[in-house]
Amino acid sequence: MADSIPLVDYLVLGDDPHLIAHECTSCGARYFDRRNACAACEGTNFTDVEVPREGVLKTFTIVSFAAPGIPVPFVAGVVDCDGTSVRANVINVDPDPEHVRLGMKVKLATYSVGEDANGVEAVGFGFEPV
Amino acid sequence: MSGDVWILGIHMTKFGKHPDKDTVDLAADAARGALADGGVSMKQMQILAAGNLMAASAGIGQQLQKQIGQTGIPVYNVANACATGATALRTAIMAVKAGEADFGLAVGVEKLAGAGLLAGGSRAQDDGSWSPRGRYGAVAPVDGRIGTETMPGVFAQIGMEYGHRYGGTSFELFARISEKNHAHSTLNPLAAYTKRMTLEQIMNDVMIAYPNTRPMCSANCDGAAAAVVVSDAALKKLSLEQQRRAVKVAASVLTTDPWEEACQILPNVNTLTRNAATRAYEQAGIGPDDLDLVELHDCFATAELVHYDNLGLCEPGGAVDFFNSGASWRDGKTPVNVSGGLESKGHPIAATGIANIWEVCHHLRGEAGPRQIEGARVGLAHVIGLGSACGVHILERAA
Ligand SMILES: [Zn+2]
């Protein structure tokens, strides 16, 4: 039995954690969720591609009120990974506008979400300043 | 031109707390108010379109009929996020345009006072062992762990993204937009909040999702709005006074978000608004420079900025300069949200997309009292519902 499980299925754990996207083989549109078809071209064939681990923070917010169990404040944003946009938190940074800036370079990082009753660790991802 | 559709009567309740009224009471107040304003009754209505997002399966249209008039006409209960009211209105307009009705009634109502933050589709934490679920195979709720689904956070990012693309934005700039709308609200007795706020008060208030503080967020409140629409042919048979007060629906457009890179990562509220605006200006045969006032969907201060651009009120990329020029203040080139906007007037979701039409009609009829935009002839009303849906209506004073 695995000791760890990714928070979402598009996070690949191991020595070199990375994200994968489902890329439409007809038009190249990329998605992170399970697909019925391509929203851009109606194609139904997808191939998994690796998303670059570094990117640019193209927008963010610092959230002060969140769902129960989510520590606040935290930084939520969108990272442009060489043309593929990824939704993520910015982690390992002071959550204030002095330390988080539009256009800053960030790279993928993982962290522990917690353990379940069987001792299996769920691992999440975020992006941290380079 | 025959084939035109007109707003014959329109009404909104005061937005705010209505502890003694339920949704049907509020909807009835708005509907009966709109009928009285238009000088007509339920007996003349041939279609009813009604929206109440928080109880979308409850059939608000039929509940309303049971209180104000069960005439057997078709009811369309609609739900389209924050564009629900605009969708109800457009449904009635389409029925008239299609020749299926001469008179239609559209109603939007919501009870939201005290609702707190509205989040997206997060789900309860698993108990026991991690097991992947849903379209992302997630073992725990992703809201807050992989970005945010809270509305203040989503719209904060939408404004910040504009800043990343074009520059010039800051916490203070967004707060100044809120300062404008709160200043405008002091002239609107139907707004939930009518206090002027200083820039310092706004910036020092509780931070909800940077850069949006509490007064920069739309106010959850109760309220309803309703409109009676009429065909050109039927209007001509009504009194001269009814014809004089009727407001022409010069454009009625509803769009959704077309696929673009990133649109399933962060909702793209820009392209569908641009598409709706472009189509609306085409239908109306006017351009943004012809607008005497605009009511746009400032669900958050960060959202208002991007819609200056999306609605073509400024050059592409020019929203910051447009705002800094004073253009969107009530004495500016293109007054925006002279009602106080959602930040002060309030945002009872399904009512919003008709209440903004009420505001515009009020000015076009010259009935807006102390906040009248003098000589207003043409106005635009815009709403966005995340998901997404965009409604744009352009209204013109009767000649
Ligand atoms: Zn495709």
Side-chain angles (χ1 to χ4, degrees):
Chain A
M1 167 167 228
D3 317 312
S4 62
I5 185 169
L7 174 60
V8 285
D9 60 15
Y10 60 91
L11 169 63
V12 178
L13 300 177
D15 294 339
D16 196 11
H18 60 274
L19 302 178
I20 50 165
H22 312 306
E23 185 178 273
C24 172
T25 55
S26 314
C27 78
R30 290 184 172 189
Y31 304 90
F32 291 103
D33 63 345
R34 177 168 60 76
R35 300 302 303 176
N36 298 91
C38 177
C41 78
E42 304 177 40
T44 51
N45 293 315
F46 295 87
T47 178
D48 283 351
V49 293
E50 205 174 309
V51 176
R53 269 152 272 203
E54 293 201 10
V56 169
L57 185 64
K58 68 175 186 179
T59 187
F60 72 92
T61 180
I62 304 166
V63 178
S64 306
F65 291 88
I70 302 295
V72 288
F74 70 91
V75 182
V78 178
V79 178
D80 178 357
C81 294
D82 198 23
T84 301
S85 294
V86 179
R87 183 195 295 185
N89 289 359
V90 183
I91 60 174
N92 304 330
V93 68
D94 291 333
D96 61 59
E98 285 71 48
H99 292 89
V100 185
R101 294 175 323 282
L102 292 171
M104 74 193 281
K105 287 200 165 61
V106 291
K107 65 174 197 294
L108 190 76
T110 58
Y111 68 97
S112 175
V113 173
E115 285 188 0
D116 71 6
N118 306 317
V120 177
E121 182 184 43
V123 176
F125 72 91
F127 284 79
E128 63 184 12
V130 171
Chain B
M1 184 183 109
S2 78
D4 282 339
V5 179
W6 301 77
I7 306 273
L8 178 65
I10 189 158
H11 187 78
M12 70 175 274
T13 67
K14 179 171 168 57
F15 282 5
K17 293 188 175 75
H18 289 283
D20 300 332
K21 295 190 172 190
D22 63 19
T23 48
V24 180
D25 291 324
L26 290 167
D29 285 353
R32 288 177 54 79
L35 291 166
D37 184 52
V40 288
S41 73
M42 280 303 284
K43 286 190 188 68
Q44 285 153 282
M45 298 302 112
Q46 293 158 317
I47 171 186
L48 169 61
N52 174 217
L53 192 67
M54 289 299 159
S57 61
I60 184 66
Q62 285 86 343
Q63 289 187 59
L64 176 62
Q65 286 181 307
K66 303 244 172 347
Q67 296 301 323
I68 69 167
Q70 277 178 268
T71 54
I73 59 172
V75 164
Y76 294 83
N77 290 302
V78 303
N80 217 355
C82 299
T84 294
T87 303
L89 179 64
R90 176 150 173 71
T91 301
I93 290 170
M94 285 195 297
V96 173
K97 273 194 173 157
E100 291 210 6
D102 274 323
F103 291 93
L105 176 62
V107 185
V109 60
E110 214 72 60
K111 287 275 289 182
L112 268 188
L117 284 182
L118 301 180
S122 46
R123 60 187 176 79
Q125 179 106 34
D126 293 335
D127 46 20
S129 61
W130 303 118
S131 52
R133 283 192 191 166
R135 286 188 172 262
Y136 295 101
V139 300
V142 296
D143 181 22
R145 293 190 175 92
I146 302 179
T148 182
E149 292 169 8
T150 63
M151 295 293 149
V154 168
F155 279 96
Q157 291 175 81
I158 285 164
M160 294 287 278
E161 184 184 35
Y162 192 88
H164 176 59
R165 190 175 302 172
Y166 298 114
T169 60
S170 64
F171 176 26
E172 183 182 320
L173 174 94
F174 291 120
R176 282 190 188 284
I177 292 175
S178 184
E179 181 191 21
K180 167 184 73 76
N181 289 349
H182 285 288
H184 285 171
S185 76
T186 60
L187 297 173
N188 185 358
L190 296 185
Y193 298 96
T194 55
K195 280 206 191 84
R196 180 149 194 166
M197 295 187 77
T198 65
L199 185 63
E200 289 67 33
Q201 282 173 322
I202 291 166
M203 293 181 75
N204 291 327
D205 207 305
V206 180
M207 183 59 76
I208 304 292
Y210 178 89
N212 287 321
T213 64
R214 187 171 49 187
M216 297 163 73
C217 301
S218 53
N220 290 331
C221 65
D222 306 334
V228 173
V229 295
V230 61
S231 69
D232 210 49
L235 179 65
K236 287 206 175 82
K237 293 177 192 149
L238 298 178
S239 73
L240 289 177
E241 177 64 2
Q242 282 166 308
Q243 293 182 37
R244 185 190 67 75
R245 288 182 75 249
V247 171
K248 187 166 109 178
V249 180
S252 172
V253 178
L254 194 67
T255 57
T256 57
D257 46 333
W259 192 87
E260 287 168 85
E261 201 286 317
C263 74
Q264 296 191 13
I265 302 300
L266 179 70
N268 182 333
V269 302
N270 302 317
T271 305
L272 81 168
T273 297
R274 304 185 87 86
N275 290 349
T278 303
R279 210 170 301 164
Y281 292 132
E282 234 170 67
Q283 274 183 20
I286 64 153
D289 287 343
D290 299 313
L291 298 173
D292 296 307
L293 76 157
V294 171
E295 288 287 304
L296 63 74
H297 202 71
D298 65 319
C299 48
F300 298 90
T302 44
E304 177 158 328
L305 184 81
V306 305
H307 294 315
Y308 293 153
D309 196 325
N310 294 331
L311 294 172
L313 308 184
C314 61
E315 298 291 304
V320 173
D321 290 343
F322 174 80
F323 175 74
N324 285 335
S325 75
S328 59
W329 282 78
R330 53 171 291 114
D331 58 355
K333 174 175 153 277
T334 312
V336 174
N337 291 335
V338 296
S339 66
L342 279 51
E343 292 162 68
S344 342
K345 182 173 67 176
H347 185 21
I349 300 175
T352 294
I354 298 178
N356 59 4
I357 307 269
W358 177 88
E359 179 70 23
V360 172
C361 287
H362 222 44
H363 291 269
L364 301 184
R365 287 165 159 185
E367 297 173 357
R371 75 176 183 288
Q372 176 70 38
I373 297 297
E374 282 310 318
R377 297 193 57 81
V378 186
L380 181 149
H382 157 259
V383 286
I384 275 277
L386 268 200
S388 296
C390 174
V392 169
H393 286 87
I394 294 176
L395 303 145
E396 276 179 36
R397 186 164 79 185

